[in-house]
Amino acid sequence: MQIVTSIAEMRRLTRDYARRGLTVGFVPTMGALHAGHLSLVARSRRECDITIASIFVNPLQFAANEDYARYPRTFHDDSRQLESAGVTALFAPSADEMYPAGSNGNPENFLVQPGPLGSRLDGASRPGHFTGVATVVAKLFHIVAPTRAYFGQKDAAQVAVLRRMVRDLNFDVELVACPIIREADGLAMSSRNRYLSPAERRDALVLHRAIGNAAMLYMMGESSADALIAAAQTEFALTPAARIDYITLVDPDTLLPLKQAAPGALFAVAAYLGNTRLIDNWLIGQEL
Ligand code: AMP
């Protein structure tokens, strides 16, 4: 596996793959890898000739009060995992390489603005987050020129924003959303799980239980959004240490609230365990 830190070198590689007529699968990450990330790599390897992963903790998508400085950075372990997963090249630029003019706080920077979609769901609690995500992913798409790009359904709002970006800005890439990978007890894998104390780790299961409650009610024939949300809230009432950010039923493309559940609708939850914000969701009709 080649490790590439410069944009110029990455472009040389991607031009070479294009010249040879190879399809390129791309898995962008912020590192601190787990089986969720590796499932995206595995899918890309099945569907593409070449798989490129990136590790970049993007300062632009973190607000000043968020965890940019303490976000887990485990580069050595990550690169070892990507190599054994069969990644061809790992793009791991520095913040200066990606934002030579500085990132946060430079009002001169050109940004990709997602429009109203960027202020829904996680965008409502994290103002500016999806501008940071859209901007960095647009840059990465230009540098890596992938045929397909793989994202986790765990970050459902991110998938909605990026799908829309690809459509509205005519990116020549196929975006593939992949299922949520969970720990054995149901907790959705996340790099941020490593922040949790043992007590918070136990309480974090409330997200999956809350969605499970709503899902069970739905299977029994209930489709009112209010009733499903109330069922999820009941679980949270039993775990007072967890603070709900949102519990909602939305259209997975517009992220606007729905009154009635039906296959394809997105039931999504975000909650704080101490200072750690976790998210989870269920695309109705798919396995939970
Ligand atoms: P991150 O490193 O958190 O930015 O995540 C990189 C990619 O991995 C994103 O597309 C995430 O949605 C995806 N991802 C994170 N956790 C999971 C998971 N538990 N299952 C599947 N994909 C995931």
Side-chain angles (χ1 to χ4, degrees):
M1 182 181 74
Q2 215 165 329
I3 298 180
V4 180
T5 56
S6 96
I7 293 171
E9 175 62 16
M10 193 67 242
R11 280 196 198 285
R12 264 195 294 280
L13 283 182
T14 51
R15 284 205 194 100
D16 179 53
Y17 301 144
R19 233 185 342 259
R20 287 155 60 198
L22 301 170
T23 55
V24 173
F26 179 41
V27 180
T29 82
M30 298 204 300
L33 300 185
H34 49 67
H37 298 111
L38 297 177
S39 75
L40 308 183
V41 170
R43 175 88 175 261
S44 169
R45 286 210 58 207
R46 282 199 299 277
E47 298 178 352
C48 305
D49 299 323
I50 296 277
T51 292
I52 298 177
S54 67
I55 297 182
F56 181 60
V57 185
N58 174 32
L60 201 59
Q61 71 189 65
F62 289 80
N65 62 334
E66 291 183 345
D67 54 344
Y68 175 69
R70 69 184 186 109
Y71 196 84
R73 288 163 171 87
T74 56
F75 186 79
H76 185 71
D77 190 45
D78 293 345
S79 56
R80 214 178 28 77
Q81 291 193 62
L82 292 172
E83 171 136 48
S84 30
V87 165
T88 312
L90 166 58
F91 181 51
S94 68
D96 283 346
E97 178 74 359
M98 288 296 273
Y99 300 110
S103 51
N104 289 351
N106 184 343
E108 295 294 317
N109 277 336
F110 193 101
L111 303 172
V112 180
Q113 298 287 357
L117 202 49
S119 341
R120 294 177 190 150
L121 243 62
D122 307 286
S125 357
R126 304 184 67 188
H129 171 67
F130 285 125
T131 300
V133 169
T135 302
V136 79
V137 172
K139 285 163 71 68
L140 290 168
F141 281 178
H142 286 131
I143 296 163
V144 174
T147 318
R148 300 190 186 88
Y150 295 83
F151 292 89
Q153 186 58 44
K154 183 176 81 84
D155 298 271
Q158 173 168 279
V159 167
V161 166
L162 295 178
R163 274 223 174 98
R164 186 73 198 243
M165 179 182 85
V166 164
R167 197 180 83 195
D168 285 5
L169 301 184
N170 306 96
F171 279 86
D172 191 13
V173 57
E174 183 191 333
L175 207 144
V176 183
C178 305
I180 302 176
I181 304 298
R182 299 177 177 282
E183 303 285 357
D185 62 4
L187 179 67
M189 289 192 185
S190 163
S191 305
R192 291 191 167 95
N193 289 349
R194 61 182 84 196
Y195 295 152
L196 302 171
S197 70
E200 289 167 348
R201 172 64 182 81
R202 277 193 300 279
D203 288 341
L205 283 176
V206 67
L207 281 87
H208 185 241
R209 277 201 305 266
I211 296 173
N213 251 10
M216 202 149 65
L217 202 61
Y218 175 78
M219 313 289 189
M220 281 157 48
E222 178 63 70
S223 65
S224 134
D226 288 344
L228 300 180
I229 291 166
Q233 283 166 338
T234 309
E235 270 308 319
F236 274 91
L238 301 172
T239 314
R243 188 160 53 84
I244 298 171
D245 179 7
Y246 62 70
I247 302 179
T248 189
L249 181 77
V250 296
D251 177 291
D253 296 318
T254 64
L255 304 180
L256 288 170
L258 295 171
K259 282 268 156 242
Q260 294 293 318
L266 177 72
F267 190 84
V269 173
Y272 289 91
L273 281 298
N275 294 323
T276 305
R277 185 172 176 281
L278 300 180
I279 57 177
D280 200 346
N281 66 77
W282 175 46
L283 260 181
I284 295 184
Q286 300 203 354
E287 215 173 295
L288 178 58

